[in-house]
Amino acid sequence: MTESEVATEIVRLDMHGITVHIDAPGAQTRAALMYDYGMFAQPDDAAVRTASDCSQVGRNCTAELRVTVVEEDDAPLIPGAIAGLLGDTIVVGPGTVEVRGPNVTTRAAYLREIRPYTTASVIGLHRRRGAANVHASAVRARDGGVIFAGEKMAGKTSLVLAMVSAGYSYLSNDITLLLPGADGEVEVGGMPQALPMGTGTQQWFAAHVPEFGITAPTTIPEGMGPSELYWYEAGSKQRLGWEQISSRDELRLRTPLRHLVFPEAALDLDHPRVRPMDADEAATRLLQNVDYFLKWALGPQQPFADLVDATARLVERAIAGAAAIQFQWCPDHRRNAAVLAEHVGPPPASGPADVV
């Protein structure tokens, strides 16, 4: 796509079944949208999903999101609007996001206003269709999706990179959708974004997987122990773009959930440890990592009790179709990937033939 085409076309996406129309001025903004969401881009004559598709939880919803960005010098803060971080105003309604103001074509506005509200609105619409967004990263193995669910610094990004380096397909980092699928299955849908890496992750992959193009940190204090050094924050985190480790065709697809991994760092170990989890423990741990409250205000929301009930039903289905383990990982990510492969099976054979 040329710059002139990017500057004149409305960006149209199909994000795992939610049709998204984004009308935003500025070639820079549109190029950023295509970088972040381009794997979901749809041709103009693609079929548009309607509200009749939203029957997963027995309630009406919209399957379309329209995002409108308007550049204007004076954007009054109307009732119900949200004050943007850059002085713009944001109005979120059922199936709509509108961003108005003098700064909407800047890179900062895209990162702080347009992208987060678009992503959060898509997640909100999916939740009204019975989906859940989980604080987890994900890869695809030959038999289906593998998610790594855990809190910050559990090792989700490190293990995803370890598995990708061993041939597994990258699906998502930090935000992962669990989606109702056919015949009672639960599917994994990625919300691709750049992967932020801590000092220890940068060091190991810079030394052992040079094809990722990761640069080792240069400012590391002396005298730190292994754990302290691994999580040391040397300024802003280096980020690895999704295009360095995956393809658009892989990222836009959904795949059946087959494995749940709950990682824990054990940097004093020479070899990772695995403990199988029963259904009750796995369900409890997975529910602990469901993000019920989106970071951004999104206008009208479904009743919280309905959200909790729908999520509980989805998690029950997820646990029934997936094997779960607790995984204490060591500093050697080749060993981590090798041991995980014993439990989740081999990487995809070649193309994405076994995904939805």
Side-chain angles (χ1 to χ4, degrees):
M1 181 173 290
T2 67
E3 182 170 322
S4 61
E5 288 175 315
V6 171
T8 57
E9 292 185 358
I10 291 178
V11 177
R12 184 180 176 193
L13 315 170
D14 185 336
M15 299 182 72
H16 303 304
I18 302 295
T19 301
V20 185
H21 304 265
I22 306 176
D23 186 1
Q28 179 181 358
T29 299
R30 291 175 181 275
L33 284 165
M34 291 306 294
Y35 173 77
D36 283 333
Y37 303 117
M39 67 289 297
F40 300 116
Q42 295 292 295
D44 291 339
D45 59 352
V48 177
R49 293 173 186 257
T50 67
S52 62
D53 294 321
C54 303
S55 58
Q56 297 289 351
V57 292
R59 57 185 295 122
N60 293 325
C61 68
T62 178
E64 284 196 87
L65 174 67
R66 295 189 177 273
V67 181
T68 305
V69 181
V70 180
E71 185 177 19
E72 58 185 17
D73 292 336
D74 186 16
L77 188 60
I78 63 175
I82 302 162
L85 297 176
L86 302 174
D88 303 316
T89 62
I90 303 159
V91 180
V92 181
T96 62
V97 175
E98 186 174 286
V99 184
R100 291 178 172 268
N103 303 301
V104 295
T105 60
T106 65
R107 176 68 174 168
Y110 173 75
L111 293 174
R112 296 186 179 187
E113 297 172 346
I114 299 169
R115 184 176 70 178
Y117 282 97
T118 298
T119 299
S121 294
V122 169
I123 292 172
L125 289 173
H126 272 298
R127 295 200 312 192
R128 295 181 71 87
R129 303 174 73 187
N133 57 303
V134 182
H135 192 204
S137 300
V139 298
R140 184 169 67 89
R142 188 169 300 179
D143 70 341
V146 182
I147 71 169
F148 300 87
E151 296 301 317
K152 183 178 180 180
M153 298 196 302
K156 301 183 297 296
T157 300
S158 297
L159 292 180
V160 161
L161 288 175
M163 297 301 280
V164 170
S165 69
Y168 294 79
S169 299
Y170 171 64
L171 293 178
S172 65
N173 184 61
D174 225 30
I175 301 175
T176 298
L177 291 173
L178 297 183
L179 302 152
D183 300 323
E185 283 198 316
V186 173
E187 297 170 347
V188 179
M191 298 293 286
Q193 55 183 327
L195 292 82
M197 297 170 292
T199 299
T201 304
Q202 291 180 44
Q203 277 191 312
W204 195 90
F205 285 97
H208 299 283
V209 191
E211 57 268 30
F212 281 174
I214 297 172
T215 304
T218 57
T219 56
I220 301 176
E222 297 180 359
M224 286 187 172
S227 181
E228 189 179 12
L229 175 61
Y230 198 93
W231 303 117
Y232 171 71
E233 294 286 349
S236 61
K237 288 186 176 182
Q238 184 179 163
R239 293 176 180 270
L240 186 67
W242 59 262
E243 79 285 357
Q244 295 174 256
I245 59 172
S246 188
S247 70
R248 291 183 185 274
D249 288 343
E250 290 283 354
L251 290 171
R252 67 182 174 83
L253 298 169
R254 296 159 55 156
T255 185
L257 174 64
R258 292 289 180 259
H259 304 276
L260 293 163
V261 179
F262 298 94
E264 297 179 6
L267 298 175
D268 57 335
L269 296 180
D270 293 326
H271 198 272
R273 294 175 181 171
V274 178
R275 180 177 65 82
M277 302 173 71
D278 62 29
D280 289 341
E281 183 183 9
T284 299
R285 291 285 297 275
L286 186 56
L287 284 168
Q288 288 172 347
N289 288 285
V290 170
D291 186 3
Y292 291 106
F293 302 99
L294 295 178
K295 183 177 180 181
W296 307 279
L298 291 178
Q301 295 284 304
Q302 70 194 101
F304 185 70
D306 289 1
L307 173 61
V308 172
D309 289 344
T311 301
R313 291 194 297 270
L314 185 70
V315 166
E316 183 178 0
R317 290 165 59 182
I319 298 301
I325 60 171
Q326 177 185 324
F327 187 75
Q328 291 184 302
W329 53 275
C330 71
D332 187 335
H333 289 300
R334 283 204 180 98
R335 291 181 180 177
N336 293 329
V339 173
L340 281 168
E342 295 173 4
H343 292 270
V344 307
S350 53
D354 57 338
V355 294
V356 178

